[in-house]
Amino acid sequence: MVKRVTIHDIAREAGVSAATVSYVINNTQGQSISEDTKNKIWHVINMFNYKPNVFAKNLRSSGRKLVAVCTETDGYTDKAELVDVLEGLSKSFNDNFDLVFVAPPFGRITNADAIIAYNVSRETFYSIGNANYIPLIAVNCCVEDKLFFQITPDFEKLRRMADSRFSSDYAFVCPEPHDSVLKSRITQAFENAVFVNDDFGKVTASNVFTVSGVVAERFKRRGVNLYYENIYLPLCRQTADCVTKALSREPFDVHVFTV
């Protein structure tokens, strides 16, 4: 039988008292504990896969995992797209996983086994990572860091698909990404890329290509020549696979995926 990790094991490995570990886990105010000590304790907690939260313990004993989804939203379009993403993720994970949405500002997420950072800036991604020592997956965010799995759309493949569909010029329309590198990749792939938040009136093209269901619904009512390629489900399936891999704590040679 595998010995259950206790708070005393964490304290011993971190070289502190069990009380100090408890203070850090529960974010007890009024304690003079250095940031270095806090970080060391959280690193040990992650290394031993220790779940101090009562709810997390119940999840672990039942074999279930809790995955937090963090994203930045700027208006109706971002929020509506998030609904599609959460639906895709719920279909992609098996019954052993539960999803919870975490709204900004992002801090310590103590009851999650893994975190999906969807459509956030690189700065936000690393702020989440610096506050949480659990597997963190970048989706629609380019971090290019071998410590993290990264999943983004294959914009070159999407451009080829659109080129074969339209006989004349078209606009690729999508919500504006929060990550500047991802935005740059889109503008490099498409000659006419139009980023919208809630300002759809600025799109004047008669041929529109999009991978956003929210954008597609808006243009269905405008009589344009619309090509919609739904990439949410393959993106979410790859994300679920990467979360499972990250939770296995096994090394993987490939960390960057495009779908």
Side-chain angles (χ1 to χ4, degrees):
M1 179 180 295
V2 178
K3 179 180 180 294
R4 184 173 67 87
V5 178
T6 69
I7 193 172
H8 299 285
D9 297 320
I10 302 301
R12 183 179 63 255
E13 292 296 326
V16 298
S17 68
T20 300
V21 175
S22 178
Y23 293 148
V24 171
I25 289 173
N26 294 293
N27 195 27
T28 304
Q29 301 301 309
Q31 302 297 319
S32 57
I33 304 172
S34 70
E35 288 301 314
D36 286 343
T37 299
K38 291 179 182 178
N39 288 338
K40 185 175 182 180
I41 290 171
W42 282 112
H43 276 299
V44 173
I45 287 173
N46 180 52
M47 182 175 65
F48 281 87
N49 198 25
Y50 174 63
K51 302 295 186 296
N53 183 278
V54 172
F55 174 56
K57 285 182 181 178
N58 291 336
L59 286 175
R60 182 176 61 181
S61 64
S62 65
R64 301 185 67 80
K65 298 293 184 181
L66 184 68
V67 180
V69 181
C70 300
T71 188
E72 297 172 308
T73 55
D74 291 332
Y76 165 80
T77 302
D78 272 355
K79 292 176 182 177
E81 186 173 68
L82 174 62
V83 173
D84 288 342
V85 172
L86 291 174
E87 182 180 2
L89 288 171
S90 67
K91 292 179 179 178
S92 301
F93 282 99
N94 62 40
D95 292 338
N96 292 325
F97 288 85
D98 292 303
L99 296 172
V100 60
F101 170 64
V102 179
F106 307 114
R108 181 81 66 189
I109 305 173
T110 58
N111 59 348
D113 294 282
I115 301 172
I116 296 171
Y118 176 81
N119 188 25
V120 300
S121 67
R122 185 177 298 198
E123 292 74 20
T124 298
F125 179 86
Y126 279 106
S127 71
I128 295 171
N130 289 335
N132 298 276
Y133 299 101
I134 57 177
L136 175 61
I137 315 298
V139 184
N140 271 5
C141 174
C142 302
V143 295
E144 304 297 339
D145 190 327
K146 65 181 181 180
L147 291 177
F148 306 101
F149 284 103
Q150 171 185 305
I151 306 101
T152 58
D154 187 339
F155 295 111
E156 293 296 333
K157 180 181 72 174
L158 291 170
R159 188 204 68 229
R160 293 192 296 270
M161 294 169 63
D163 288 347
S164 65
R165 175 68 175 264
F166 294 110
S167 57
S168 56
D169 292 341
Y170 62 90
F172 176 73
V173 184
C174 69
E176 185 169 4
H178 290 269
D179 177 40
S180 60
V181 176
L182 190 71
K183 182 176 179 179
S184 176
R185 290 187 179 182
I186 294 172
T187 57
Q188 290 172 11
F190 295 97
E191 184 176 342
N192 184 17
V194 183
F195 301 106
V196 294
N197 291 317
D198 296 334
D199 50 347
F200 289 85
K202 68 181 182 181
V203 181
T204 59
S206 57
N207 297 320
V208 171
F209 174 45
T210 187
V211 295
S212 168
V214 178
V215 172
E217 286 299 320
R218 293 294 296 267
F219 282 100
K220 282 179 181 178
R221 302 190 292 268
R222 289 179 54 171
V224 302
N225 185 14
L226 175 67
Y227 173 27
Y228 168 47
E229 183 67 27
N230 186 350
I231 65 168
Y232 282 118
L233 199 51
L235 192 77
C236 290
R237 285 172 176 167
Q238 184 63 67
T239 300
D241 180 66
C242 287
V243 169
T244 302
K245 288 179 178 178
L247 286 172
S248 73
R249 299 300 203 280
E250 296 178 7
F252 291 91
D253 294 332
V254 179
H255 289 81
V256 177
F257 298 87
T258 55
V259 298

PDB file of all heavy atoms in Angstrom, residues 47-74:
ATOM      1  N   MET A  47       5.640  18.532  -5.874  1.00  0.00           N
ATOM      2  CA  MET A  47       6.482  17.366  -6.116  1.00  0.00           C
ATOM      3  C   MET A  47       5.848  16.096  -5.545  1.00  0.00           C
ATOM      4  O   MET A  47       5.879  15.033  -6.157  1.00  0.00           O
ATOM      5  CB  MET A  47       7.871  17.575  -5.507  1.00  0.00           C
ATOM      6  CG  MET A  47       8.843  16.423  -5.741  1.00  0.00           C
ATOM      7  SD  MET A  47      10.499  16.814  -5.105  1.00  0.00           S
ATOM      8  CE  MET A  47      10.172  16.933  -3.344  1.00  0.00           C
ATOM      9  N   PHE A  48       5.251  16.217  -4.372  1.00  0.00           N
ATOM     10  CA  PHE A  48       4.633  15.067  -3.722  1.00  0.00           C
ATOM     11  C   PHE A  48       3.159  14.899  -4.104  1.00  0.00           C
ATOM     12  O   PHE A  48       2.503  13.977  -3.628  1.00  0.00           O
ATOM     13  CB  PHE A  48       4.750  15.191  -2.194  1.00  0.00           C
ATOM     14  CG  PHE A  48       6.096  14.807  -1.672  1.00  0.00           C
ATOM     15  CD1 PHE A  48       7.121  15.729  -1.594  1.00  0.00           C
ATOM     16  CD2 PHE A  48       6.349  13.499  -1.266  1.00  0.00           C
ATOM     17  CE1 PHE A  48       8.369  15.374  -1.113  1.00  0.00           C
ATOM     18  CE2 PHE A  48       7.587  13.140  -0.785  1.00  0.00           C
ATOM     19  CZ  PHE A  48       8.612  14.077  -0.712  1.00  0.00           C
ATOM     20  N   ASN A  49       2.666  15.819  -4.975  1.00  0.00           N
ATOM     21  CA  ASN A  49       1.262  15.765  -5.398  1.00  0.00           C
ATOM     22  C   ASN A  49       0.334  15.761  -4.184  1.00  0.00           C
ATOM     23  O   ASN A  49      -0.670  15.045  -4.128  1.00  0.00           O
ATOM     24  CB  ASN A  49       0.990  14.528  -6.265  1.00  0.00           C
ATOM     25  CG  ASN A  49      -0.301  14.653  -7.067  1.00  0.00           C
ATOM     26  OD1 ASN A  49      -0.746  15.760  -7.358  1.00  0.00           O
ATOM     27  ND2 ASN A  49      -0.895  13.534  -7.419  1.00  0.00           N
ATOM     28  N   TYR A  50       0.688  16.581  -3.197  1.00  0.00           N
ATOM     29  CA  TYR A  50      -0.072  16.649  -1.951  1.00  0.00           C
ATOM     30  C   TYR A  50      -1.249  17.588  -2.111  1.00  0.00           C
ATOM     31  O   TYR A  50      -1.104  18.702  -2.623  1.00  0.00           O
ATOM     32  CB  TYR A  50       0.841  17.138  -0.825  1.00  0.00           C
ATOM     33  CG  TYR A  50       0.137  17.391   0.488  1.00  0.00           C
ATOM     34  CD1 TYR A  50      -0.492  16.360   1.172  1.00  0.00           C
ATOM     35  CD2 TYR A  50       0.137  18.663   1.052  1.00  0.00           C
ATOM     36  CE1 TYR A  50      -1.122  16.590   2.388  1.00  0.00           C
ATOM     37  CE2 TYR A  50      -0.491  18.903   2.270  1.00  0.00           C
ATOM     38  CZ  TYR A  50      -1.115  17.865   2.929  1.00  0.00           C
ATOM     39  OH  TYR A  50      -1.726  18.095   4.124  1.00  0.00           O
ATOM     40  N   LYS A  51      -2.449  17.157  -1.716  1.00  0.00           N
ATOM     41  CA  LYS A  51      -3.659  17.965  -1.815  1.00  0.00           C
ATOM     42  C   LYS A  51      -4.119  18.334  -0.411  1.00  0.00           C
ATOM     43  O   LYS A  51      -4.768  17.537   0.264  1.00  0.00           O
ATOM     44  CB  LYS A  51      -4.762  17.202  -2.555  1.00  0.00           C
ATOM     45  CG  LYS A  51      -4.368  16.758  -3.945  1.00  0.00           C
ATOM     46  CD  LYS A  51      -4.123  17.964  -4.850  1.00  0.00           C
ATOM     47  CE  LYS A  51      -3.864  17.537  -6.284  1.00  0.00           C
ATOM     48  NZ  LYS A  51      -2.658  16.755  -6.453  1.00  0.00           N
ATOM     49  N   PRO A  52      -3.779  19.529   0.068  1.00  0.00           N
ATOM     50  CA  PRO A  52      -4.116  19.897   1.443  1.00  0.00           C
ATOM     51  C   PRO A  52      -5.576  20.242   1.634  1.00  0.00           C
ATOM     52  O   PRO A  52      -6.093  20.163   2.728  1.00  0.00           O
ATOM     53  CB  PRO A  52      -3.260  21.143   1.692  1.00  0.00           C
ATOM     54  CG  PRO A  52      -3.061  21.726   0.323  1.00  0.00           C
ATOM     55  CD  PRO A  52      -2.984  20.557  -0.619  1.00  0.00           C
ATOM     56  N   ASN A  53      -6.259  20.659   0.575  1.00  0.00           N
ATOM     57  CA  ASN A  53      -7.635  21.097   0.699  1.00  0.00           C
ATOM     58  C   ASN A  53      -8.569  19.913   0.922  1.00  0.00           C
ATOM     59  O   ASN A  53      -8.425  18.872   0.306  1.00  0.00           O
ATOM     60  CB  ASN A  53      -8.020  21.852  -0.579  1.00  0.00           C
ATOM     61  CG  ASN A  53      -9.411  22.411  -0.521  1.00  0.00           C
ATOM     62  OD1 ASN A  53     -10.353  21.689  -0.780  1.00  0.00           O
ATOM     63  ND2 ASN A  53      -9.515  23.693  -0.204  1.00  0.00           N
ATOM     64  N   VAL A  54      -9.550  20.042   1.794  1.00  0.00           N
ATOM     65  CA  VAL A  54     -10.467  18.944   2.099  1.00  0.00           C
ATOM     66  C   VAL A  54     -11.215  18.505   0.860  1.00  0.00           C
ATOM     67  O   VAL A  54     -11.362  17.315   0.579  1.00  0.00           O
ATOM     68  CB  VAL A  54     -11.457  19.374   3.209  1.00  0.00           C
ATOM     69  CG1 VAL A  54     -12.531  18.300   3.390  1.00  0.00           C
ATOM     70  CG2 VAL A  54     -10.726  19.634   4.505  1.00  0.00           C
ATOM     71  N   PHE A  55     -11.677  19.476   0.057  1.00  0.00           N
ATOM     72  CA  PHE A  55     -12.392  19.131  -1.167  1.00  0.00           C
ATOM     73  C   PHE A  55     -11.477  18.384  -2.124  1.00  0.00           C
ATOM     74  O   PHE A  55     -11.861  17.385  -2.732  1.00  0.00           O
ATOM     75  CB  PHE A  55     -12.908  20.411  -1.821  1.00  0.00           C
ATOM     76  CG  PHE A  55     -13.542  20.204  -3.158  1.00  0.00           C
ATOM     77  CD1 PHE A  55     -14.591  19.328  -3.315  1.00  0.00           C
ATOM     78  CD2 PHE A  55     -13.082  20.911  -4.267  1.00  0.00           C
ATOM     79  CE1 PHE A  55     -15.189  19.151  -4.546  1.00  0.00           C
ATOM     80  CE2 PHE A  55     -13.667  20.726  -5.498  1.00  0.00           C
ATOM     81  CZ  PHE A  55     -14.725  19.854  -5.638  1.00  0.00           C
ATOM     82  N   ALA A  56     -10.227  18.837  -2.247  1.00  0.00           N
ATOM     83  CA  ALA A  56      -9.280  18.164  -3.141  1.00  0.00           C
ATOM     84  C   ALA A  56      -8.982  16.755  -2.652  1.00  0.00           C
ATOM     85  O   ALA A  56      -8.804  15.838  -3.447  1.00  0.00           O
ATOM     86  CB  ALA A  56      -7.988  18.985  -3.243  1.00  0.00           C
ATOM     87  N   LYS A  57      -8.924  16.559  -1.322  1.00  0.00           N
ATOM     88  CA  LYS A  57      -8.705  15.214  -0.796  1.00  0.00           C
ATOM     89  C   LYS A  57      -9.845  14.289  -1.195  1.00  0.00           C
ATOM     90  O   LYS A  57      -9.617  13.129  -1.555  1.00  0.00           O
ATOM     91  CB  LYS A  57      -8.587  15.266   0.735  1.00  0.00           C
ATOM     92  CG  LYS A  57      -7.265  15.827   1.250  1.00  0.00           C
ATOM     93  CD  LYS A  57      -7.249  15.792   2.763  1.00  0.00           C
ATOM     94  CE  LYS A  57      -5.950  16.358   3.310  1.00  0.00           C
ATOM     95  NZ  LYS A  57      -5.928  16.379   4.774  1.00  0.00           N
ATOM     96  N   ASN A  58     -11.053  14.805  -1.137  1.00  0.00           N
ATOM     97  CA  ASN A  58     -12.195  13.992  -1.537  1.00  0.00           C
ATOM     98  C   ASN A  58     -12.140  13.634  -3.006  1.00  0.00           C
ATOM     99  O   ASN A  58     -12.483  12.521  -3.412  1.00  0.00           O
ATOM    100  CB  ASN A  58     -13.500  14.747  -1.232  1.00  0.00           C
ATOM    101  CG  ASN A  58     -13.755  14.870   0.253  1.00  0.00           C
ATOM    102  OD1 ASN A  58     -13.254  14.062   1.021  1.00  0.00           O
ATOM    103  ND2 ASN A  58     -14.514  15.885   0.656  1.00  0.00           N
ATOM    104  N   LEU A  59     -11.689  14.596  -3.828  1.00  0.00           N
ATOM    105  CA  LEU A  59     -11.539  14.309  -5.253  1.00  0.00           C
ATOM    106  C   LEU A  59     -10.504  13.218  -5.462  1.00  0.00           C
ATOM    107  O   LEU A  59     -10.688  12.308  -6.268  1.00  0.00           O
ATOM    108  CB  LEU A  59     -11.113  15.585  -6.005  1.00  0.00           C
ATOM    109  CG  LEU A  59     -12.181  16.654  -6.218  1.00  0.00           C
ATOM    110  CD1 LEU A  59     -11.551  17.877  -6.867  1.00  0.00           C
ATOM    111  CD2 LEU A  59     -13.318  16.126  -7.068  1.00  0.00           C
ATOM    112  N   ARG A  60      -9.378  13.329  -4.764  1.00  0.00           N
ATOM    113  CA  ARG A  60      -8.306  12.360  -4.956  1.00  0.00           C
ATOM    114  C   ARG A  60      -8.759  10.969  -4.516  1.00  0.00           C
ATOM    115  O   ARG A  60      -8.486   9.969  -5.179  1.00  0.00           O
ATOM    116  CB  ARG A  60      -7.066  12.787  -4.164  1.00  0.00           C
ATOM    117  CG  ARG A  60      -5.892  11.852  -4.346  1.00  0.00           C
ATOM    118  CD  ARG A  60      -4.661  12.352  -3.630  1.00  0.00           C
ATOM    119  NE  ARG A  60      -4.877  12.464  -2.214  1.00  0.00           N
ATOM    120  CZ  ARG A  60      -3.952  12.900  -1.358  1.00  0.00           C
ATOM    121  NH1 ARG A  60      -2.789  13.293  -1.807  1.00  0.00           N
ATOM    122  NH2 ARG A  60      -4.204  12.970  -0.083  1.00  0.00           N
ATOM    123  N   SER A  61      -9.487  10.885  -3.386  1.00  0.00           N
ATOM    124  CA  SER A  61      -9.900   9.573  -2.893  1.00  0.00           C
ATOM    125  C   SER A  61     -10.902   8.921  -3.833  1.00  0.00           C
ATOM    126  O   SER A  61     -11.010   7.706  -3.880  1.00  0.00           O
ATOM    127  CB  SER A  61     -10.507   9.724  -1.495  1.00  0.00           C
ATOM    128  OG  SER A  61     -11.687  10.510  -1.546  1.00  0.00           O
ATOM    129  N   SER A  62     -11.658   9.733  -4.588  1.00  0.00           N
ATOM    130  CA  SER A  62     -12.619   9.174  -5.525  1.00  0.00           C
ATOM    131  C   SER A  62     -12.017   8.991  -6.909  1.00  0.00           C
ATOM    132  O   SER A  62     -12.706   8.543  -7.819  1.00  0.00           O
ATOM    133  CB  SER A  62     -13.847  10.098  -5.608  1.00  0.00           C
ATOM    134  OG  SER A  62     -13.475  11.351  -6.165  1.00  0.00           O
ATOM    135  N   GLY A  63     -10.765   9.356  -7.076  1.00  0.00           N
ATOM    136  CA  GLY A  63     -10.111   9.217  -8.361  1.00  0.00           C
ATOM    137  C   GLY A  63     -10.410  10.352  -9.320  1.00  0.00           C
ATOM    138  O   GLY A  63      -9.995  10.324 -10.473  1.00  0.00           O
ATOM    139  N   ARG A  64     -11.124  11.388  -8.873  1.00  0.00           N
ATOM    140  CA  ARG A  64     -11.486  12.500  -9.735  1.00  0.00           C
ATOM    141  C   ARG A  64     -10.418  13.588  -9.673  1.00  0.00           C
ATOM    142  O   ARG A  64      -9.709  13.735  -8.687  1.00  0.00           O
ATOM    143  CB  ARG A  64     -12.843  13.071  -9.347  1.00  0.00           C
ATOM    144  CG  ARG A  64     -13.977  12.047  -9.414  1.00  0.00           C
ATOM    145  CD  ARG A  64     -15.311  12.696  -9.150  1.00  0.00           C
ATOM    146  NE  ARG A  64     -15.679  13.619 -10.218  1.00  0.00           N
ATOM    147  CZ  ARG A  64     -16.199  13.236 -11.375  1.00  0.00           C
ATOM    148  NH1 ARG A  64     -16.396  11.956 -11.624  1.00  0.00           N
ATOM    149  NH2 ARG A  64     -16.521  14.123 -12.284  1.00  0.00           N
ATOM    150  N   LYS A  65     -10.325  14.357 -10.766  1.00  0.00           N
ATOM    151  CA  LYS A  65      -9.393  15.461 -10.852  1.00  0.00           C
ATOM    152  C   LYS A  65     -10.164  16.745 -11.145  1.00  0.00           C
ATOM    153  O   LYS A  65     -11.149  16.738 -11.886  1.00  0.00           O
ATOM    154  CB  LYS A  65      -8.370  15.225 -11.967  1.00  0.00           C
ATOM    155  CG  LYS A  65      -7.500  13.990 -11.775  1.00  0.00           C
ATOM    156  CD  LYS A  65      -6.567  14.127 -10.588  1.00  0.00           C
ATOM    157  CE  LYS A  65      -5.638  12.920 -10.485  1.00  0.00           C
ATOM    158  NZ  LYS A  65      -4.741  13.029  -9.312  1.00  0.00           N
ATOM    159  N   LEU A  66      -9.697  17.828 -10.563  1.00  0.00           N
ATOM    160  CA  LEU A  66     -10.318  19.127 -10.785  1.00  0.00           C
ATOM    161  C   LEU A  66      -9.393  19.988 -11.640  1.00  0.00           C
ATOM    162  O   LEU A  66      -8.228  20.189 -11.309  1.00  0.00           O
ATOM    163  CB  LEU A  66     -10.596  19.825  -9.459  1.00  0.00           C
ATOM    164  CG  LEU A  66     -11.341  21.160  -9.553  1.00  0.00           C
ATOM    165  CD1 LEU A  66     -12.770  20.931 -10.026  1.00  0.00           C
ATOM    166  CD2 LEU A  66     -11.340  21.879  -8.220  1.00  0.00           C
ATOM    167  N   VAL A  67      -9.923  20.495 -12.748  1.00  0.00           N
ATOM    168  CA  VAL A  67      -9.155  21.327 -13.674  1.00  0.00           C
ATOM    169  C   VAL A  67      -9.757  22.723 -13.687  1.00  0.00           C
ATOM    170  O   VAL A  67     -10.955  22.894 -13.969  1.00  0.00           O
ATOM    171  CB  VAL A  67      -9.157  20.741 -15.100  1.00  0.00           C
ATOM    172  CG1 VAL A  67      -8.347  21.626 -16.039  1.00  0.00           C
ATOM    173  CG2 VAL A  67      -8.600  19.318 -15.095  1.00  0.00           C
ATOM    174  N   ALA A  68      -8.948  23.713 -13.371  1.00  0.00           N
ATOM    175  CA  ALA A  68      -9.401  25.101 -13.380  1.00  0.00           C
ATOM    176  C   ALA A  68      -9.138  25.707 -14.763  1.00  0.00           C
ATOM    177  O   ALA A  68      -8.089  25.469 -15.363  1.00  0.00           O
ATOM    178  CB  ALA A  68      -8.667  25.903 -12.309  1.00  0.00           C
ATOM    179  N   VAL A  69     -10.087  26.485 -15.248  1.00  0.00           N
ATOM    180  CA  VAL A  69      -9.950  27.173 -16.535  1.00  0.00           C
ATOM    181  C   VAL A  69      -9.879  28.668 -16.264  1.00  0.00           C
ATOM    182  O   VAL A  69     -10.827  29.266 -15.737  1.00  0.00           O
ATOM    183  CB  VAL A  69     -11.124  26.858 -17.476  1.00  0.00           C
ATOM    184  CG1 VAL A  69     -10.935  27.574 -18.816  1.00  0.00           C
ATOM    185  CG2 VAL A  69     -11.260  25.356 -17.688  1.00  0.00           C
ATOM    186  N   CYS A  70      -8.746  29.275 -16.599  1.00  0.00           N
ATOM    187  CA  CYS A  70      -8.538  30.707 -16.397  1.00  0.00           C
ATOM    188  C   CYS A  70      -8.488  31.409 -17.755  1.00  0.00           C
ATOM    189  O   CYS A  70      -7.794  30.944 -18.666  1.00  0.00           O
ATOM    190  CB  CYS A  70      -7.227  30.971 -15.651  1.00  0.00           C
ATOM    191  SG  CYS A  70      -7.130  30.220 -14.015  1.00  0.00           S
ATOM    192  N   THR A  71      -9.192  32.510 -17.900  1.00  0.00           N
ATOM    193  CA  THR A  71      -9.145  33.258 -19.150  1.00  0.00           C
ATOM    194  C   THR A  71      -9.411  34.725 -18.877  1.00  0.00           C
ATOM    195  O   THR A  71      -9.993  35.091 -17.850  1.00  0.00           O
ATOM    196  CB  THR A  71     -10.174  32.716 -20.165  1.00  0.00           C
ATOM    197  OG1 THR A  71      -9.970  33.338 -21.439  1.00  0.00           O
ATOM    198  CG2 THR A  71     -11.591  32.984 -19.702  1.00  0.00           C
ATOM    199  N   GLU A  72      -8.970  35.560 -19.818  1.00  0.00           N
ATOM    200  CA  GLU A  72      -9.249  36.987 -19.770  1.00  0.00           C
ATOM    201  C   GLU A  72     -10.356  37.298 -20.774  1.00  0.00           C
ATOM    202  O   GLU A  72     -10.313  36.833 -21.907  1.00  0.00           O
ATOM    203  CB  GLU A  72      -7.996  37.796 -20.114  1.00  0.00           C
ATOM    204  CG  GLU A  72      -6.867  37.604 -19.116  1.00  0.00           C
ATOM    205  CD  GLU A  72      -5.567  38.243 -19.562  1.00  0.00           C
ATOM    206  OE1 GLU A  72      -5.121  37.981 -20.686  1.00  0.00           O
ATOM    207  OE2 GLU A  72      -4.998  39.019 -18.762  1.00  0.00           O
ATOM    208  N   THR A  73     -11.350  38.050 -20.381  1.00  0.00           N
ATOM    209  CA  THR A  73     -12.458  38.375 -21.273  1.00  0.00           C
ATOM    210  C   THR A  73     -12.621  39.882 -21.379  1.00  0.00           C
ATOM    211  O   THR A  73     -12.572  40.592 -20.368  1.00  0.00           O
ATOM    212  CB  THR A  73     -13.778  37.762 -20.782  1.00  0.00           C
ATOM    213  OG1 THR A  73     -14.027  38.180 -19.434  1.00  0.00           O
ATOM    214  CG2 THR A  73     -13.721  36.242 -20.829  1.00  0.00           C
ATOM    215  N   ASP A  74     -12.804  40.359 -22.614  1.00  0.00           N
ATOM    216  CA  ASP A  74     -13.014  41.787 -22.869  1.00  0.00           C
ATOM    217  C   ASP A  74     -14.303  41.975 -23.659  1.00  0.00           C
ATOM    218  O   ASP A  74     -14.276  42.202 -24.864  1.00  0.00           O
ATOM    219  CB  ASP A  74     -11.837  42.387 -23.656  1.00  0.00           C
ATOM    220  CG  ASP A  74     -10.564  42.465 -22.841  1.00  0.00           C
ATOM    221  OD1 ASP A  74     -10.667  42.568 -21.611  1.00  0.00           O
ATOM    222  OD2 ASP A  74      -9.480  42.422 -23.434  1.00  0.00           O
TER     223      ASP A  74
END
